[in-house]
Amino acid sequence: MLKNVILFLILSLGIFSSGCVSIYNPATGRNELYFIDEKTEISIGNNVAARIIEDNEIVQDKSLQFYIENIGNKLKKVSDRTNLEYKFYIVDDDQLNAFAVPGGHVFLNKGLIDTATKDELAFVMAHEIGHICARHSVKKMQTALGLNFLLSVALRDPNYQAVNKTINLVYNVVALGYSRKDELLADSLGVKYSKKAGFNPEASFSLLEKLKKEEGNANYTLVFLRSHPLPDERIKNIQKTLNNETVSKLNSP
Ligand SMILES: [Zn+2]
């Protein structure tokens, strides 16, 4: 009942220009329902990225920046959301870690860039771009905020509290990681995009082996690994993706 009233409010006030829309998401291969549109997603993402930049030391190294942007731009062109403006940052941190913020921000730790080969790094970056293309954070935001978000917007909350809440939520998602299912999909997309962009997708195996070794070090809490499924499960999933790709390639005319 309450939901209907709110829905009526939203519709009658015409608050959402696009409203709740169902769009086909090529990254997941499904039709999905969104009430957080792309513009809002980008604006929330920009806020979260600004906070991460404030809280961390960002490496200003022109040649390293050129190196990652070169990889990132190739991946972006073959991704499922080519319209986004992707930005790549190097965080001054030794841990092998990377994370993505909705709207197109990809953060890579210096430790990862130093340790990974170019193909391995391309896989990690493609994995993070995969999270953005599959709109994993957007879906988490929608689930967690749902009614509150709609209510706040519908009532024209002067402080726009829901948006602040959303920024905190995304920040936590970035810090804690995604679900097992989301991670496996991001791995599959990582393999797909890195292969399409001309990198060796099998570098994902050696990268996961490196992460496995790092995991043994108790001093490390790796977001990229910790919240992810076990490396062995990820390796199996990647093998499956690569095999399927080979089969579909053979079947295509
Ligand atoms: Zn991930």
Side-chain angles (χ1 to χ4, degrees), residues 98-99 127-128 131 136 177-179 182-184 186-187 223-224 227-228 234:
F99 48 90
H127 170 108
E128 297 305 333
H131 278 306
H136 285 153
Y178 304 89
S179 72
D182 287 354
E183 294 306 343
L184 292 178
D187 273 348
V223 176
F224 189 77
S227 55
H228 285 62
R234 296 179 69 184

Side-chain angles (χ1 to χ4, degrees), residues 47-56 58 99 101 107 171 174:
N47 276 292
V48 176
R51 196 188 287 186
I52 291 169
I53 292 165
E54 215 178 277
D55 290 352
N56 294 276
I58 302 296
F99 48 90
V101 170
F107 291 85
Y171 196 79
V174 164

Side-chain angles (χ1 to χ4, degrees), residues 38 40-49 81 84 100-106 131-132 135-138 141 166 170-171 173-174 178:
E38 194 165 77
T40 312
E41 177 196 349
I42 291 170
S43 137
I44 291 169
N46 288 345
N47 276 292
V48 176
R81 292 178 82 185
L84 290 179
V101 170
H105 304 271
V106 177
H131 278 306
I132 295 170
R135 291 176 163 87
H136 285 153
S137 299
V138 177
M141 286 189 253
T166 309
V170 180
Y171 196 79
V173 167
V174 164
Y178 304 89

